[in-house]
Amino acid sequence: MTNSGRRGSRGALALVPRAVEEAQPTIWFCGHCGTRPPLVGPPAANARVCESCGLGLLLETLADAAPEAGGAFLVLDRSLSVCAVSRGAERLLATTETDAVNRSVTELLAPADSEPESGANLAAAVSAATRGGEEALSAFVRPANLFGVRMRVRIVQCGPPQAALLTFE
């Protein structure tokens, strides 16, 4: 059989298009009070301060991961430093935003799992979120100065700038 005969017996190769993932919807929220302003698209660069409380910057995250108004959440940067503390988190962690900002999250939170599942490491989850990971992760934590309390946090990206949003559930 000749080479041309072999080619004729094979099926033709066809390029299969990759499934295009739909972009998940995002929402803007205040980094202090959690209020969701009625925005269509990103806010103007000079209008990123929340009109409701006047204290927080507007941040963007996945719509299904955004905190509720008045909810407890933290915003962390790549170095695990606290960038923002919501009113709800101030009450929950018995701190103020001015005392917590620019401190390591380990001064506020400690792991609460005796046997953490793989991928449930708080530092690894925060690192993944600040690198742009779109998957929401979760971990169990406790206030660093309190034993016997266990809280679940959901960790997802937010920004700008790129950061991690920890929402207490």
Side-chain angles (χ1 to χ4, degrees):
M1 208 182 242
T2 65
N3 281 346
S4 60
R6 282 190 205 145
R7 278 189 218 147
S9 64
R10 282 189 186 170
L13 296 177
L15 185 61
V16 178
R18 246 169 117 178
V20 178
E21 291 183 26
E22 288 186 31
Q24 293 185 16
T26 60
I27 195 166
W28 290 85
F29 69 98
C30 172
H32 185 70
C33 69
T35 300
R36 300 174 183 184
L39 294 175
V40 178
N46 61 352
R48 283 200 46 219
V49 175
C50 176
E51 291 180 9
S52 180
C53 70
L55 298 173
L57 287 180
L58 297 180
L59 300 170
E60 183 179 27
T61 192
L62 299 175
D64 63 347
E68 296 294 325
F73 61 89
L74 300 173
V75 178
L76 307 176
D77 66 12
R78 288 179 193 230
S79 66
L80 301 179
S81 292
V82 177
C83 298
V85 180
S86 72
R87 288 180 187 158
E90 286 178 325
R91 288 188 298 274
L92 184 67
L93 301 173
T95 190
T96 63
E97 186 171 42
T98 53
D99 288 338
V101 168
N102 294 325
R103 292 174 52 194
S104 172
V105 70
T106 58
E107 293 181 46
L108 296 176
L109 300 175
D113 278 342
S114 58
E115 296 179 27
E117 300 171 17
S118 69
N121 179 317
L122 180 63
V126 169
S127 179
T130 59
R131 285 193 318 270
E134 291 191 17
E135 180 181 335
L137 303 170
S138 63
F140 286 96
V141 297
R142 65 174 176 80
N145 60 356
L146 186 62
F147 291 92
V149 175
R150 186 173 182 230
M151 301 173 284
R152 184 182 191 125
V153 290
R154 186 173 185 190
I155 304 130
V156 68
Q157 71 173 340
C158 71
Q162 196 75 22
L165 170 66
L166 277 70
T167 304
F168 294 89
E169 296 180 342

